[in-house]
Amino acid sequence: MTAMVQPPLADAPYDVEAARRDFPIFRTDVRGKPLAFLDSGASAQKPQAVLDAMNAAYTSGYANVHRGAYQLSERATAAYEGSREIVRRFLNARSVKEIVYTRNATEGINLVAASYGRKFLKAGDAVLISEMEHHANIVPWQLLREEIGIELRIVPIADDGSWLMAEYEKRLDGVKLVALTHTSNVLGTVTPAKEITALAHAAGAKVLLDGSQAVVHRKVDVQDIGCDFYVFTGHKLYGPTGIGVLYGREELLAAMPPYQGGGDMIRTVSFAKSTWADLPHKFEAGTPAIVEAVGLGAAIQYVEGLGIERIARHETQLLNYATQRLSAVKGLNIQGNAVGKAGVISFTIDCAHPHDISTIVDRAGVAIRAGHHCAQPLMERLGVAATARASLGLYSTKAEVDQLAEALDFVVEMFD
């Protein structure tokens, strides 16, 4: 599990059709049509390598971890902890002590808000977020505001979805924690994480980045960025649901109290007092997502095997093609055109509601998302109730984009 993966050279040709053959889902038709899956931003499909790793873990290596003094438990523990080392390497964290498994990115943010926030923030301290945050990076801070009286500050964004560094700097004074998306799930905007972090640290603030939409599109190096916390979820990275990652600098995690109490997060327990396990287990109460962690490790190895730079280049080329192709659809308006954006295209069409758009293109075998994308404040900022969204993955093709564009032309024909 922990063997180093040697990806191909970054400039080697990327064979998207070969990648698609690794995903059994693409042998499936939808409504009698070839599946065009353009909703990877919501949850990505799973390669055979992930399915095989999880099947093997259940069929020949399953037991509870950290508990059994027998070989099967030792084998399961090695697989579980081996996946943690894969994650550490993937993020370039300094130690596996800095890699905490959670259920998803949402739980990672809630963990930081509840543990770090309750201990190190006080009434009047400011937490800074932006207009393009997902609900998962809004609500936990609102709960903390209600509980201890923090101030919540909001960084505005430009009309095209670009990050406004000057507006960010204006709001940094007195901020104790900056909590921002690394890549917007609606706009595709990639925030300048390294510069944001440097400015926050200069102002005396810690930094948490939500990277669920970022790690799937580009290489992330937490030491290079310099952030204090980084979260992402496994299922958007071609891994299983139910597993996420919180990276935290070791000295911060060590100073934070446990998030939840129970088995496996303790060193000793008596009716008088309990003491806590070492990092990262202090934050992993109860039986963890054992097989899901194995699946996440396999997913990361799969992505590394293809080469994250080659995937990023393929997605950028396809994004440019899709932007041009969809812009030709009558009445279609793309929300978010920031330079360097990731493979996400949110759009509206003048004559049709996004839910109608999604329903009708589904009849052509095209899966896209429609709604507020768990970003209602951003929808209000954009002046729309909802958008339709096509999001790209490592297996997305021009043919799928064409299939979507033709289906959208039919939507216009129906409603215009």
Side-chain angles (χ1 to χ4, degrees), residues 87-392:
V87 175
R88 182 209 65 74
R89 189 185 68 238
F90 181 64
L91 293 178
N92 193 31
R94 285 166 294 189
S95 166
V96 291
K97 294 179 180 178
E98 299 182 320
I99 304 299
V100 177
Y101 279 137
T102 59
R103 288 183 301 157
N104 43 47
T106 298
E107 187 173 56
I109 296 171
N110 275 276
L111 191 162
V112 174
S115 177
Y116 181 86
R118 285 175 185 160
K119 180 165 183 177
F120 293 104
L121 301 182
K122 62 182 186 305
D125 285 346
V127 172
L128 189 151
I129 61 176
S130 79
E131 285 184 325
M132 60 182 161
E133 300 308 318
H134 187 278
H135 294 166
N137 198 32
I138 300 173
V139 178
W141 309 112
Q142 291 176 329
L143 293 171
L144 192 65
R145 179 175 63 187
E146 292 172 7
E147 183 177 349
I148 66 172
I150 62 165
E151 175 192 355
L152 198 53
R153 293 186 192 170
I154 316 298
V155 182
I157 59 171
D159 290 342
D160 69 351
S162 296
W163 176 252
L164 296 173
M165 189 62 80
E167 296 295 330
Y168 169 65
E169 289 188 74
K170 281 182 192 173
R171 289 161 176 78
L172 268 179
D173 185 42
V175 167
K176 299 300 181 184
L177 180 69
V178 171
L180 296 173
T181 181
H182 194 181
T183 297
S184 166
N185 70 315
V186 175
L187 304 170
T189 303
V190 180
T191 54
K194 189 172 181 178
E195 190 175 355
I196 284 171
T197 299
L199 289 168
H201 285 171
K206 299 292 188 292
V207 176
L208 178 151
L209 295 172
D210 176 358
S212 285
Q213 301 288 343
V215 294
V216 299
H217 296 298
R218 64 196 62 239
K219 173 61 182 172
V220 171
D221 184 329
V222 293
Q223 291 192 68
D224 181 60
I225 294 171
C227 57
D228 302 286
F229 302 103
Y230 197 98
V231 301
F232 73 89
T233 196
H235 68 95
K236 297 181 196 297
L237 188 60
Y238 312 100
T241 55
I243 185 77
V245 171
L246 163 65
Y247 157 81
R249 285 201 292 118
E250 184 176 351
E251 59 270 32
L252 293 176
L253 293 177
M256 290 160 53
Y259 172 53
Q260 295 177 325
D264 219 29
M265 54 72 68
I266 53 85
R267 183 183 301 279
T268 62
V269 174
S270 72
F271 287 118
K273 180 179 173 60
S274 297
T275 59
W276 318 130
D278 293 335
L279 292 174
H281 305 112
K282 180 173 76 173
F283 294 106
E284 296 180 1
T287 296
I290 302 164
V291 176
E292 288 76 10
V294 172
L296 175 60
I300 290 173
Q301 289 187 312
Y302 176 78
V303 168
E304 290 177 329
L306 290 180
I308 192 74
E309 294 87 357
R310 298 167 71 236
I311 295 170
R313 189 169 65 245
H314 165 71
E315 291 179 350
T316 298
Q317 292 170 347
L318 191 58
L319 174 65
N320 293 337
Y321 177 77
T323 301
Q324 184 179 29
R325 188 75 170 83
L326 298 189
S327 295
V329 175
K330 183 180 178 183
L332 188 144
N333 310 292
I334 293 177
Q335 302 286 347
N337 292 291
V339 174
K341 65 179 279 189
V344 176
I345 301 179
S346 287
F347 61 92
T348 57
I349 295 179
D350 293 341
C351 62
H353 190 279
H355 287 160
D356 291 329
I357 295 171
S358 177
T359 300
I360 293 169
V361 302
D362 174 59
R363 296 176 185 174
V366 182
I368 61 171
R369 183 78 175 265
H372 54 62
H373 313 295
C374 298
Q376 287 180 302
L378 177 57
M379 294 294 114
E380 185 175 352
R381 167 65 179 84
L382 298 173
V384 297
T387 71
R389 185 189 70 182
S391 49
L392 308 177

